């Protein structure tokens, strides 16, 4: 974990915006502003999946470099506030996460919740929205949005069998070919909306892709596979030709409204 008195809630990786692709990493980092200390937690908790998506920052940066496209990475720990939740989601600021009580989040006043929204959550989403709009303008077409996440191999005693999962709602333009191409490697167990369901109202994909009719998918890579740099590089190299191939499909850069399983858009 890194603490700083000058805290940036997001980081931009530059790339060729004319290519029409935006990479996102909502849980890339585990950093906290100095004023929040460690939220009352021991340092060991910031080594766990509850603080960030292990391996995702390296995968996203390397994938952006291989593809030559831009990326937006959140700069704060999900324990401070989770950018991949809607503003009305009760799990946006967690007080209990996978067996760990977060003292700095309990209790939390309404004013503090709003402060975290204004200082961290909203600036990140403003940056994502600005990048998506910039890529749309530069490319002259609807952007393809690809979000990179990772998941813990064991959750609440359940050993997850998947190596990688693809999350999606109703728009399968990216998800279906992504699942199919990953599954060509018979050594991989590929989850379809596993280990989570991709229909989450107000999350990053909902806000920036679904409501705009932009093709998108969220990938979840098992954390033990990308915990070190070698594994993260290997997965970036695996994903780069797949993402590039999907980017070239005829309908990827068209606006198409599929709606959401969560309700009206």
């Amino acid at each position: 974990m890194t603490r700083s008195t000058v805290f940036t809630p997001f980081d931009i990786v530059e790339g060729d915006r004319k290519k029409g692709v935006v990479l996102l990493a909502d849980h890339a980092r585990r950093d906290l502003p100095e004023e929040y200390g460690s939220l009352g937690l021991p340092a060991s908790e910031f080594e766990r999946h509850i603080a960030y998506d292990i391996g995702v920052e390296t995968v996203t940066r390397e994938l952006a470099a291989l593809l030559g496209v831009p990326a937006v990475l959140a700069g704060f720990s999900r324990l401070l506030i989770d950018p991949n939740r809607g503003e009305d989601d009760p799990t946006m600021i967690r007080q209990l996460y996978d067996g760990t009580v977060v003292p700095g989040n309990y209790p939390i006043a309404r004013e503090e919740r709003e402060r975290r929204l204004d200082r961290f959550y909203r600036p990140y989403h403003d940056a994502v929205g600005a990048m998506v709009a910039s890529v749309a303008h530069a490319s002259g077409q609807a952007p393809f949005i690809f979000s990179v996440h990772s998941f813990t191999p064991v959750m609440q005693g359940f050993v997850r069998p998947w190596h990688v999962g693809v999350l999606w709602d109703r728009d399968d333009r990216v998800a279906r070919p992504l699942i199919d191409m990953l599954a060509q490697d018979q050594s991989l167990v590929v989850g379809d909306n596993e280990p989570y369901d991709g229909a989450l109202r107000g999350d990053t994909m909902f806000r920036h892709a679904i409501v705009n009719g932009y093709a998108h998918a969220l990938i979840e890579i098992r954390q033990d596979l990308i915990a070190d740099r070698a594994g993260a590089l290997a997965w970036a190299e695996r994903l780069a030709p797949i993402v590039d191939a999907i980017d070239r499909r005829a309908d990827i850069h068209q606006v198409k409204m599929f709606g959401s399983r969560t309700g009206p858009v």
Side-chain angles (χ1 to χ4, degrees):
M1 180 178 65
T2 302
R3 298 194 191 97
S4 173
T5 53
V6 179
F7 194 89
T8 305
F10 60 86
D11 191 17
I12 302 293
V13 176
E14 284 298 345
D16 186 353
R17 303 184 186 199
K18 293 180 181 179
K19 290 189 174 183
V21 179
V22 179
L23 304 182
L24 301 178
D26 297 321
H27 302 144
R29 299 187 65 84
R30 53 188 164 177
D31 299 358
L32 293 173
E34 188 174 42
E35 68 205 79
Y36 285 94
S38 63
L39 293 173
L41 293 169
S44 59
E45 295 292 352
F46 288 86
E47 302 296 322
R48 298 181 60 213
H49 72 97
I50 64 171
Y52 73 124
D53 277 358
I54 295 165
V56 156
E57 181 173 10
T58 301
V59 172
T60 305
R61 290 184 184 277
E62 294 299 326
L63 185 57
L66 289 167
L67 294 171
V69 301
V72 185
L73 294 79
F76 49 90
S77 173
R78 68 196 302 175
L79 291 175
L80 183 69
I81 189 167
D82 192 335
N84 195 37
R85 295 291 185 272
E87 291 197 14
D88 59 350
D89 192 315
T91 67
M92 184 174 64
I93 300 176
R94 288 183 183 262
Q95 298 174 345
L96 175 67
Y97 195 3
D98 195 19
T100 294
V101 174
V102 186
N105 292 346
Y106 183 80
I108 188 162
R110 182 181 304 174
E111 293 78 13
E112 174 58 22
R113 182 180 181 279
E114 191 65 23
R115 184 168 179 262
R116 294 189 197 184
L117 282 166
D118 279 342
R119 289 191 58 201
F120 310 108
Y121 179 101
R122 289 170 183 150
Y124 170 67
H125 281 289
D126 288 347
V128 172
M131 178 62 76
V132 169
S134 175
V135 167
H137 177 76
S139 64
Q141 56 190 354
F144 161 24
I145 303 175
F146 189 69
S147 185
V148 184
H149 287 247
S150 68
F151 66 95
T152 183
V154 181
M155 186 70 166
Q156 297 176 344
F158 174 61
V159 178
R160 291 160 155 177
W162 313 282
H163 298 97
V164 61
V166 177
L167 277 53
W168 58 289
D169 193 338
R170 282 184 170 167
D171 184 349
D172 65 351
R173 286 177 290 171
V174 176
R176 188 54 54 200
L178 179 58
I179 292 168
D180 291 345
M181 283 188 261
L182 286 167
Q184 288 177 11
D185 183 339
Q186 295 185 2
S187 69
L188 293 179
V189 178
V190 182
D192 182 348
N193 269 327
E194 298 287 1
Y196 309 105
D197 190 335
L200 181 60
R201 193 168 192 86
D203 71 354
T204 302
M205 293 293 92
F206 186 91
R207 278 182 84 134
H208 299 286
I210 291 172
V211 299
N212 294 316
Y214 295 158
H216 63 282
L218 187 157
I219 192 168
E220 291 269 4
I221 307 167
R222 205 175 70 198
Q223 289 171 354
D224 58 309
L225 303 177
I226 57 173
D228 61 23
R229 183 166 180 80
L233 288 174
W235 268 91
E237 290 168 355
R238 183 198 300 269
L239 288 172
I242 294 175
V243 174
D244 184 61
I246 294 171
D247 181 45
R248 297 174 187 275
R249 293 171 67 96
D251 60 345
I252 291 300
H253 293 286
Q254 298 173 12
V255 172
K256 291 188 176 183
M257 304 303 296
F258 288 78
S260 171
R261 288 182 278 121
T262 66
V265 174

